[in-house]
Amino acid sequence: MDRAELAAFLRRRREELRPEDVGLPVGARRRAPGLRREEVASLAAMSTDYYTRLEQQRGPQPSEQMLAALARALRLSDDERDYLFLVAGRNAPSPQVISTHVAPALQRVLDRLNDTPALILNNLGEILVQNRFAEALYGDSSRFTGLARSGIYRWFTDPGERLIYPEHDRDRQSRAQVANLRAAHAAMGAQSRAGELVRVLQRESAEFAAIWDRHEVAKRFEDHKVLVHPQLGEIEVDCQALFTEDQSQMLLVLTAPPRTEAFDKLQLLGVLGTEEFVS
């Protein structure tokens, strides 16, 4: 771990960012350029004291999870993220786990979506980041670990995962989940995390195994669907999907036409929060 270089790199990247770059209000005039330390710490979900010690060459060696959070908070490119890992004394992420790093271009778009559900997923159905409206609709994805981070895995192993779709639409959603995973499996290979997910689901879910044998492949989501919120009921939404160039990540934006019941329900999500999802 190169403490001096890590500190200098973090400080320079922080100073080059502006509040509007990360979806924060500009606020009053700032005495120093760039983001404040507490803002970076908040974006990375860590304490300000911990982050400050890293910039002052006093902190402990960050974990891989902490480095990934910093890379996302500082909107690092893939090369910058790899460099961050290396100067912190960690191996750069392998190609099989790169899909957990949020594409900066998608993150910049998400930062500006403050009035409708929006989230970024990788090709394994893992929510990498979501705004507060999406969190109120889908629940807090950060509570999941291991294979359960994948919405595809949860769909076939946790009956509660299906409640967000009307019963009549669940068969179609099952086929869509498997078709998406088959595309990821082809791109990532049998020995990748996608391959592991397939092998586990073939053992644990007869439904998954039967659909997998149909060899359907697709990456697109439905352009229009109905979702079910535990308090607001059914919400008709239009779905816009923006993919990275390699198709490994997708920004999904849910909208409804103004002056409709669905539009009003989406606005209410910002008020209701995630209380219904707390167990």
Side-chain angles (χ1 to χ4, degrees), residues 6-273:
L6 175 62
F9 183 70
L10 290 174
R11 184 168 57 254
R12 178 55 64 90
R13 296 282 80 79
R14 174 175 63 82
E15 290 174 349
E16 289 182 349
L17 285 174
R18 298 293 181 268
E20 57 268 29
D21 295 335
V22 296
L24 295 175
V26 177
R29 179 176 298 179
R30 293 170 178 246
R31 298 167 59 184
L35 296 182
R36 300 185 177 101
R37 286 171 174 167
E38 58 266 27
E39 290 171 332
V40 173
S42 177
L43 290 169
M46 64 179 62
S47 72
T48 301
D49 178 67
Y50 182 92
Y51 178 77
T52 298
R53 283 186 288 143
L54 289 178
E55 280 202 8
Q56 294 177 344
Q57 305 181 40
R58 299 187 294 110
Q61 183 183 32
S63 66
E64 292 181 357
Q65 293 81 2
M66 196 68 76
L67 291 170
L70 282 170
R72 183 174 63 251
L74 293 169
R75 308 304 191 251
L76 301 185
S77 67
D78 289 349
D79 290 340
E80 290 170 333
R81 176 213 52 208
D82 289 352
Y83 183 75
L84 174 67
F85 271 70
L86 292 173
V87 298
R90 303 288 185 182
N91 292 326
S94 71
Q96 293 186 6
V97 298
I98 281 179
S99 59
T100 62
H101 175 63
V102 179
L106 294 187
Q107 181 70 67
R108 287 193 294 271
V109 178
L110 178 64
D111 288 339
R112 287 157 176 77
L113 297 172
N114 300 314
D115 60 354
T116 198
L119 57 156
I120 297 174
L121 306 97
N122 64 17
N123 52 6
L124 298 184
E126 298 172 346
I127 295 178
L128 305 180
V129 62
Q130 57 190 151
N131 66 12
R132 63 189 182 92
F133 286 84
E135 189 172 329
L137 181 60
Y138 290 99
D140 180 8
S141 63
S142 66
R143 69 186 188 275
F144 299 113
T145 59
L147 289 176
R149 292 188 61 231
S150 168
I152 302 172
Y153 177 83
R154 298 196 306 275
W155 181 264
F156 290 100
T157 59
D158 180 2
E161 187 74 11
R162 303 191 173 204
L163 298 179
I164 196 170
Y165 281 89
E167 187 172 359
H168 65 80
D169 195 35
R170 293 173 189 170
D171 288 343
R172 181 207 58 77
Q173 182 64 9
S174 291
R175 291 175 60 190
Q177 296 278 25
V178 178
N180 289 340
L181 180 56
R182 184 172 286 279
H185 184 269
M188 300 174 69
Q191 300 308 311
S192 67
R193 290 170 57 235
E196 179 188 10
L197 194 55
V198 170
R199 290 188 292 274
V200 171
L201 284 174
Q202 284 178 317
R203 294 195 305 266
E204 296 188 7
S205 171
E207 179 191 12
F208 174 88
I211 299 175
W212 182 257
D213 286 342
R214 300 174 68 156
H215 291 267
E216 295 177 330
V217 185
K219 293 181 181 178
R220 284 190 55 79
F221 276 59
E222 289 292 308
D223 293 332
H224 184 84
K225 64 175 65 175
V226 175
L227 299 176
V228 182
H229 186 271
Q231 292 174 267
L232 301 177
E234 293 189 352
I235 309 175
E236 289 190 51
V237 295
D238 295 315
C239 307
Q240 288 78 41
L242 177 64
F243 288 89
T244 54
E245 186 175 356
D246 64 0
Q247 302 282 298
S248 66
Q249 292 184 16
M250 177 191 67
L251 170 65
L252 181 64
V253 184
L254 307 179
T255 63
R259 297 178 297 281
T260 63
E261 181 182 11
F263 179 87
D264 292 338
K265 287 182 178 181
L266 290 182
Q267 299 307 299
L268 281 173
L269 288 174
V271 178
L272 293 176

